[in-house]
Amino acid sequence: MNAGMNSAMNAGAGASGARLTRRFNELKQAKRAGLVTFITAGDPDLDTSAAILHGLPAAGADIIELGMPFSDPMADGPAIQLANQRALTAGITLRKTLDMATAFRAHDARTPLILMGYYNPIYRYGNQRFIDDALSAGVDGLIIVDLPAEEDDELCHPCMTAGLHWIRLTTPTTDDARLQRVLANSSGFVYYVSIAGITGTRSADQSAVKNAVARIRRQTDLPVAVGFGIKTPQQVAQTAAIADAAVVGSAVIEKIAAGIKKPSRKNQIAADVHRFVQQLAEGLSGA
Amino acid sequence: MNAKIKTPSAPPESPESYRAGPDADGRFGKFGGRFVAETLMPLVLEVERAYHRCRDDADFKREFANYARDYIGRPSPLYFARRLSAHFGGAKIYFKRDELNHTGAHKINNTLGQILLARRMGKTRIIAETGAGQHGVAAATVCALFDLPCVVYMGETDIKRQAPNVFRMKLLGAEVAPVSSGTATLKDAMNEALRDWVANVDDTFYIIGTAAGPHPYPAMVRDFQTVIGTEARAQLLEREKALPDLLVACIGGGSNAIGLFHPFLDDATVRMVGVEAAGRGLDSGEHAASLSGGQPGVLHGNRTYLLQDDDGQIKDAHSISAGLDYPGIGPEHAWLFEAGRVEYAGITDDEALEAFQLCCKLEGIIPALEPAHALGYVSKVAPGMDADSIILMNLCGRGDKDVFTVADALGVQL
């Protein structure tokens, strides 16, 4: 692996975070891009959500993002908004999300698990207590949407000191001058948000994404994952050709939403999600 | 009982000036900041740079002052409420009459300032959020004035409650976008406006309606609203040759209150009380008192006091006044609260209704339900004050919009 990644590792993540580095090394050896799947913890209910989570690696997810539900998900589109509401109605809390992570880690030691969400539930839980509990749950990194580089003293620095990866979002509005600052305290990988917009809406123009990924690569050696608006196996394959990983979120969530609407499929939701993730992963078998 | 004042456990030492904030990071002490998604961050920084240029620009100030005079009708009068003062039998009560502004509330001071800024930034589309509809109307008004398309996000629950204001916005040419996500109220309207902004960063300016949101909004909205306190201070000094003993203003997000308080913050003899909506009582759980009943948290781009549960999920606010019905408060108020410079009290729905009726009957002024909360507090403290002491209260909105709500609450069929 390259020097930048090693230095980011040293600065950022300890034993727990090493899983993420190892996974990107494995992908590199296999000469393929990775599939990152997002689900919201507790959606549509705690048991189904746990079943979905546990089956994701076998279905083909290389890295998992687990959403920490929040009442006011400002950067998310309708699909993930509803997922947050379903999960909160079902009684999820940040503590229960961490418990889900612990249970997952008990039977899967290799798949990187990233928690993604908004700052307030963590702030209320207590930043240091959260970092400690996330580490002991076997969490590898965090993506916190409403903590830009300007607020790095809040959680980014304590996380990196403790050995949790701090994965940063970069966007089409992040210009070169700003990119330097955004990447300065990034570790694990860089998440390129391919559209200026919310989750689950438009899809980006591929040539624009290609240019953006190249622009990021000029400034960092960290792997680059691309997300927002990736919904089909074809889009996953296209993204895989230009990035180190493709992130699919809202499209996975929509399988859950569809399952709830059809009473006959209700106990099939986990299986339906896993089948869809399998289809997404099929586009990635060797580049 | 709800007029009791909550004081923080250990007030920090007084700063040299209470008017110096925010710092370069947009912080008032630990409150404020810029807690937004990366997509918005470059835009928020651009607004900050543009605002700082305009704030110090003589042309901008002249333009604002001209429209404030000719279009809003400023300065608003300072009025001695003789009969109410006599009724309470204590302090002299003065009203700052911001309900006489064009559109009937203080909100337009801010929308005027922000649209002038948006024009200078070359933005061609305006978005806004609204709860009661007062800020939405004020935003739609200045968009009509300057011929800019305007989308106002409004929760579906509020659209039902505030039908006349919805129609006003439409008459003014704005599109009212219903918000059904979350609890379909003001906080969700603000979420939806932020989502729109993220998707339209190139051409759109977001006119936030209160002194909250990511830096520079809390400072910028405050600055546009300090026209209230600056005028009132000069008017009272001329009339009474004295500063007021007590300032009182209602607080939802807190823009009218900070606008009144800020020019007086370094006048050590002036006490200030911000009046939050205690709804059905602070112990009922159904209120909008973020300081008295909330805890620090992060929402809508800033750290401030929020109504939230133990898991950090935002709770719904309740108040009979839709304009106070917000689960947060501007970050400068959170700081002034912890610094002990401003005191904060709660007035219930019932107390506000009583004050509302009293103001109608004794002064011939139908106040909005929002400043009726401020008057509810005045009614508790004025009788105990000396006859030569002065209370200055911001009458920040007129009550025409509230007559249906009040009739309903009083059991009157219209």
Side-chain angles (χ1 to χ4, degrees):
Chain A
M1 212 53 214
N2 58 53
M5 184 119 179
N6 288 330
S7 67
M9 275 305 308
N10 294 337
S16 171
R19 259 187 298 268
L20 200 49
T21 310
R22 193 166 60 219
R23 177 51 45 97
F24 276 107
N25 278 333
E26 289 164 1
L27 289 167
K28 203 170 186 184
Q29 277 158 22
K31 294 194 186 343
R32 70 170 178 91
L35 176 65
V36 184
T37 56
F38 172 92
I39 59 167
T40 300
D43 172 37
D45 57 67
L46 272 66
D47 289 343
T48 310
S49 184
I52 294 170
L53 176 64
H54 289 214
L56 283 174
D62 298 300
I63 295 167
I64 296 169
E65 287 175 10
L66 185 62
M68 299 175 280
F70 183 45
S71 52
D72 294 77
M74 282 157 285
D76 284 300
I80 296 180
Q81 288 172 38
L82 291 172
N84 276 277
Q85 285 177 24
R86 286 192 296 267
L88 290 169
T89 305
I92 194 75
T93 60
L94 189 51
R95 180 62 255 173
K96 288 178 185 170
T97 301
L98 290 166
D99 292 343
M100 267 182 81
T102 305
F104 173 80
R105 192 51 82 216
H107 80 100
D108 186 321
R110 297 185 66 81
T111 308
L113 185 66
I114 313 294
L115 294 182
M116 181 166 184
Y118 297 82
Y119 184 34
N120 195 56
I122 296 172
Y123 184 69
R124 187 91 178 97
Y125 191 91
N127 287 0
Q128 196 52 51
R129 184 179 153 222
F130 175 77
I131 291 169
D132 294 345
D133 290 356
L135 277 172
S136 58
V139 169
D140 299 287
L142 298 181
I143 303 175
I144 308 301
V145 177
D146 52 355
L147 284 176
E150 278 70 10
E151 305 292 353
D152 273 353
D153 289 342
E154 298 281 330
L155 195 60
C156 168
H157 294 151
C159 263
M160 291 179 81
T161 305
L164 269 177
H165 281 298
W166 187 260
I167 295 144
R168 191 88 78 184
L169 303 175
T170 71
T171 73
T173 61
T174 314
D175 63 21
D176 276 332
R178 186 170 170 75
L179 190 57
Q180 196 60 52
R181 174 166 195 185
V182 168
L183 293 174
N185 289 319
S186 291
S187 69
F189 64 93
V190 178
Y191 185 142
Y192 179 64
V193 173
S194 63
I195 55 156
I198 53 177
T199 54
T201 52
R202 296 178 292 125
S203 298
D205 169 61
Q206 284 301 306
S207 67
V209 176
K210 197 173 177 179
N211 290 338
V213 171
R215 191 160 68 86
I216 294 167
R217 289 204 199 282
R218 280 198 292 276
Q219 296 209 25
T220 183
D221 293 326
L222 289 172
V224 180
V226 173
F228 280 46
I230 300 175
K231 297 167 184 169
T232 65
Q234 293 73 23
Q235 287 171 322
V236 168
Q238 284 170 356
T239 306
I242 51 180
D244 299 301
V247 188
V248 183
S250 298
V252 175
I253 302 287
E254 272 161 12
K255 296 292 166 200
I256 298 172
I260 305 167
K261 285 191 196 117
K262 276 187 256 163
S264 61
R265 303 294 307 163
K266 220 166 173 183
N267 52 7
Q268 299 296 317
I269 289 175
D272 286 350
V273 168
H274 295 148
R275 195 168 310 115
F276 178 61
V277 171
Q278 254 166 13
Q279 290 162 6
L280 294 173
E282 273 161 20
L284 294 172
S285 44
Chain B
M1 63 167 231
N2 280 303
K4 75 176 178 217
I5 285 176
K6 183 174 163 187
T7 357
S9 44
E13 280 181 44
S14 312
E16 243 170 66
S17 167
Y18 288 97
R19 304 176 65 208
D23 66 17
D25 296 322
R27 298 293 183 101
F28 301 92
K30 72 177 182 186
F31 298 104
R34 285 177 286 218
F35 297 89
V36 296
E38 171 60 22
T39 316
L40 281 183
M41 200 58 221
L43 192 54
V44 163
L45 293 171
E46 185 194 340
V47 172
E48 181 186 348
R49 282 190 298 271
Y51 176 59
H52 284 168
R53 273 198 306 276
C54 287
R55 192 182 54 183
D56 306 325
D57 179 67
D59 283 343
F60 184 88
K61 283 192 268 197
R62 198 175 310 118
E63 198 179 12
F64 180 84
N66 287 345
Y67 280 106
R69 182 191 64 213
D70 301 341
Y71 191 69
I72 298 179
R74 303 213 70 92
S76 67
L78 180 77
Y79 170 72
F80 173 53
R82 187 178 53 82
R83 292 194 64 204
L84 272 171
S85 301
H87 177 79
F88 295 136
K92 287 194 258 185
I93 299 162
Y94 279 89
F95 288 160
K96 178 61 173 165
R97 300 283 307 270
D98 252 51
E99 103 281 13
L100 292 176
N101 293 340
H102 178 43
T103 71
H106 71 289
K107 291 288 185 188
I108 197 161
N109 301 326
N110 168 48
T111 61
L112 171 65
Q114 288 198 48
I115 203 160
L116 293 177
L117 177 65
R119 276 159 53 85
R120 293 199 171 209
M121 291 174 72
K123 301 295 181 185
T124 55
R125 177 175 175 269
I126 301 294
I127 57 172
E129 86 294 337
T130 199
Q134 291 304 101
H135 172 61
V137 167
T141 297
V142 294
C143 285
L145 178 64
F146 291 106
D147 191 24
L148 287 176
C150 178
V151 179
V152 180
Y153 287 95
M154 189 168 186
E156 278 181 344
T157 309
D158 289 331
I159 286 179
K160 285 191 201 116
R161 292 196 286 197
Q162 305 287 333
N165 271 343
V166 173
F167 186 57
R168 274 184 197 108
M169 287 183 266
K170 289 180 178 168
L171 283 173
L172 293 160
E175 177 193 340
V176 179
V179 176
S180 59
S181 59
T183 51
T185 57
L186 177 56
K187 79 176 175 68
D188 307 288
M190 197 154 178
N191 292 335
E192 209 57 39
L194 286 164
R195 291 179 187 123
D196 179 312
W197 208 24
V198 166
N200 297 284
V201 285
D202 291 332
D203 64 350
T204 297
F205 189 96
Y206 179 16
I207 298 187
I208 295 180
T210 192
H215 179 63
Y217 281 94
M220 177 167 71
V221 175
R222 173 200 72 199
D223 291 348
F224 290 136
Q225 293 293 4
T226 51
V227 67
I228 299 169
T230 305
E231 283 176 9
R233 197 173 185 281
Q235 287 167 321
L236 196 70
L237 280 172
E238 191 189 323
R239 182 90 65 97
E240 289 278 354
K241 310 283 181 264
L243 288 170
D245 299 280
L246 174 65
L247 301 178
V248 182
C250 63
I251 297 206
S255 70
N256 95 81
I258 200 70
L260 176 68
F261 296 167
H262 196 262
F264 295 91
L265 282 174
D266 290 332
D267 297 316
T269 59
V270 180
R271 264 185 75 202
M272 306 178 193
V273 176
V275 183
E276 297 188 293
R280 299 193 172 100
L282 289 179
D283 302 329
S284 72
E286 294 181 69
H287 58 78
S290 313
L291 288 177
S292 306
Q295 300 85 24
V298 173
L299 180 73
H300 295 152
N302 58 175
R303 176 168 22 234
T304 187
Y305 274 71
L306 301 171
L307 300 180
Q308 55 182 317
D309 68 14
D310 291 342
D311 193 42
Q313 309 298 337
I314 307 305
K315 287 205 283 202
D316 256 344
H318 165 81
S319 169
I320 190 170
S321 148
L324 303 183
D325 206 345
Y326 179 66
I329 184 169
E332 193 164 9
H333 285 294
W335 174 70
L336 289 167
F337 167 67
E338 291 206 344
R341 177 62 186 97
V342 178
E343 301 155 65
Y344 294 85
I347 286 291
T348 64
D349 290 351
D350 289 345
E351 290 165 338
L353 272 170
E354 199 175 310
F356 177 97
Q357 296 171 81
L358 203 57
C359 191
C360 294
K361 284 179 185 142
L362 292 185
E363 295 294 344
I365 296 172
I366 302 176
L369 279 168
E370 291 81 9
H373 284 73
L375 187 59
Y377 179 77
V378 168
S379 76
K380 294 187 177 223
V381 296
M385 291 171 71
D386 293 341
D388 60 351
S389 57
I390 299 167
I391 296 175
L392 171 57
M393 187 197 106
N394 195 19
L395 190 54
C396 62
R398 67 172 181 232
D400 306 52
K401 69 180 175 69
D402 291 321
V403 292
F404 297 102
T405 308
V406 172
D408 191 46
L410 298 178
V412 178
Q413 202 107 46
L414 289 182

